[in-house]
Structure formats: structure tokens, C-alpha cells
Amino acid sequence: MIIVHHLNNSRSQRVLWLLEELGVDYQVKRYERDPATMLAPPSLRAVHPLGKSPVISDGDLTLAESGAIIEYLADRYGAGRLIPAAGTPERVRYTYWLHYAEGSVMPPLLLKLVFDRVESAPMPFFVRPVARAIAGRARDSFIAPQIRLHLDYMEGELSKSLWFAGNDFTAADIQMSFPLEAAAARGGLDAARPKLMAFLERCHARPAYTRALDKGGPYELLR
Ligand SMILES: N[C@@H](CCC(=O)N[C@@H](CS)C(=O)NCC(=O)O)C(=O)O
């Protein structure tokens, strides 16, 4: 039996969604973030040394890293579903977006989260203006332009095909949903980028997406 070690309000929601799409049996083991630090509880380190979510167990296998998990589950349990055929241009695009989600677009979104929190963190009043100035500079000179660059790029790519790998929905779209949800929550993604917004609407309209939300519990992305 597959066990998904699932942290509330996190990337691991995608793994539940994929398993619902594939109709595979699984169990969810839930972990709650520390409300002050937002970190995962230490108990997750007993499953994987990094103590981050998602992690899955499948028999003797313990696997972390959402892209690797999605690739593994789609390969092992998909029977050809949600993966473009080997040797096609769509398959290359599938691999690209599977890696791009965590490797390229998440870093600036994460930096935005961290620097926004630096500004609002408790600190002596005389330090606050300095912290604000540093955070503002990082945001204006690097983070915001990088996020805009990625959003424009993805909007352009979704002008060429309905889904990221082509005209069929694949597991790469599941992987890409999280950065786009994070961008809608805190990265400035809005109706000015209609292809990306329509992508999110199509994702959210899938019955398996809703079933996964029921299994995973609260899913409100950090701002
Ligand atoms: N690149 C990793 C990132 C894993 C990660 O940072 N997960 C977050 C949840 S969104 C987490 O566990 N945060 C809590 C912590 O770091 O303690 C993946 O895609 O699986």
C-alpha cells in the first residue's frame, strides 16, 4: 500500500491529486506545520532525513521530492496514462515541465515568501527600517522581475498548447499546478495572464482534484 506523508497546505497535495487521477489505493498520513515557523514537525524526519513533504512509502521504497514521486507513480501505476509516449516531442516537454516546476519557477516564489516574512517578523523597532529596505531592494531588483519573467514565459507556452506538454493533460500539469497556485496566492498572477488563469480553472474543475482536497484537508497556500 502506498503511504503519502502529507503536510497541510503544501506541495504534497499534488501527489494526492495524481493518485486520485490514477485511481490507485493509498493511505494519507497527515502532518501539521508548526503555526509559528510553518516548518514540518520533527516526526517527518523519521520518514526521511530532510523532514519535508511530500514523501511516499511504497513497500520497501521511501521516496522524497515531488517531481521524482510524480514520475515514479505515473511510470509504475499509470499504465501509459498521464505520460506522453516515449520518443515524442510531448514526452520531452513533459520531462522539461516536471523539472522546471521545482527547479526554476519555485525558487523566486520561495524567495518572495521569505523576504515578505523578513519584513513582518518581530524585531527591535530600530532594525525594522533596515530590514524593510533590504527586503524591498531584493524584491524590486531581483525577485519581482524574475517572477514576471517566468509568468510571461509560461503564459506564452500555454498559448501554444492547451496543457504544458501538449494538448493532453499529463502528470506534468499536476506538477506545474503548485507554482501557479503559489503565484496566484503571492506572486502577482491574475487575470492579466488569462492562459495561466484558465489552466488553474481547468485543473480545479477536475473531479480528481476535488477528491484529493477531501483526502488532504486544508489547502490554503502560504502568503
Ligand atoms: N523540492 C521539494 C520541496 C519540498 C518542500 O520544501 N516541502 C515543503 C512543503 S511545501 C516542506 O516540507 N516545508 C516544511 C519544512 O521545510 O519543514 C519537493 O518538491 O518535494
Side-chain angles (χ1 to χ4, degrees):
M1 171 70 81
I2 299 166
I3 300 172
V4 182
H5 299 272
H6 173 69
L7 186 66
N8 61 314
N9 301 330
S10 84
R11 288 160 164 87
S12 54
Q13 190 59 45
R14 290 179 292 198
V15 175
L16 307 183
W17 179 18
L18 174 62
L19 287 163
E20 290 293 332
E21 291 280 356
L22 295 177
V24 176
D25 274 348
Y26 63 99
Q27 278 176 8
V28 182
K29 185 149 185 239
R30 290 197 198 182
Y31 300 78
E32 295 292 319
R33 290 180 187 269
D34 179 308
T37 64
M38 302 315 287
L39 293 175
S43 53
L44 201 45
R45 290 204 184 166
V47 184
H48 185 280
L50 294 180
K52 298 195 184 294
S53 179
V55 183
I56 62 160
S57 320
D58 187 13
D60 291 341
L61 173 74
T62 300
L63 187 61
E65 200 57 51
S66 52
I69 293 170
I70 285 180
E71 199 170 339
Y72 167 78
L73 291 173
D75 279 349
R76 176 122 169 65
Y77 296 101
R81 289 168 298 158
L82 303 186
I83 311 180
T88 61
E90 286 80 7
R91 179 61 165 264
V92 179
R93 289 170 63 82
Y94 167 84
T95 305
Y96 172 76
W97 292 111
L98 214 49
H99 288 268
Y100 169 92
E102 289 294 327
S104 286
V105 67
M106 274 315 291
L109 288 165
L110 186 61
L111 282 175
K112 170 110 180 25
L113 181 70
V114 170
F115 276 92
D116 286 352
R117 280 173 177 245
V118 163
E119 271 189 327
S120 57
M123 65 185 82
F125 75 92
F126 54 87
V127 177
R128 187 168 298 282
V130 179
R132 281 222 172 112
I134 293 171
R137 182 105 189 238
R139 215 174 20 232
D140 296 347
S141 65
F142 179 71
I143 300 169
Q146 284 297 312
I147 292 176
R148 279 198 299 276
L149 180 68
H150 281 283
L151 290 177
D152 287 343
Y153 168 58
M154 293 183 286
E155 178 76 12
E157 290 299 300
L158 279 191
S159 306
K160 299 178 194 162
S161 59
L162 191 59
W163 298 100
F164 278 102
N167 284 324
D168 293 327
F169 175 76
T170 70
D173 297 302
I174 297 179
Q175 177 73 344
M176 283 298 294
S177 65
F178 183 79
L180 289 171
E181 287 172 336
R186 61 171 183 262
L189 172 57
D190 60 19
R193 293 190 178 81
K195 300 286 183 195
L196 295 179
M197 294 304 280
F199 168 84
L200 281 180
E201 271 174 34
R202 286 197 303 280
C203 289
H204 297 165
R206 292 182 76 88
Y209 184 94
T210 313
R211 287 200 301 277
L213 284 183
D214 291 341
K215 293 269 176 67
Y219 181 55
E220 194 184 325
L221 291 193
L222 307 180
R223 286 171 190 275

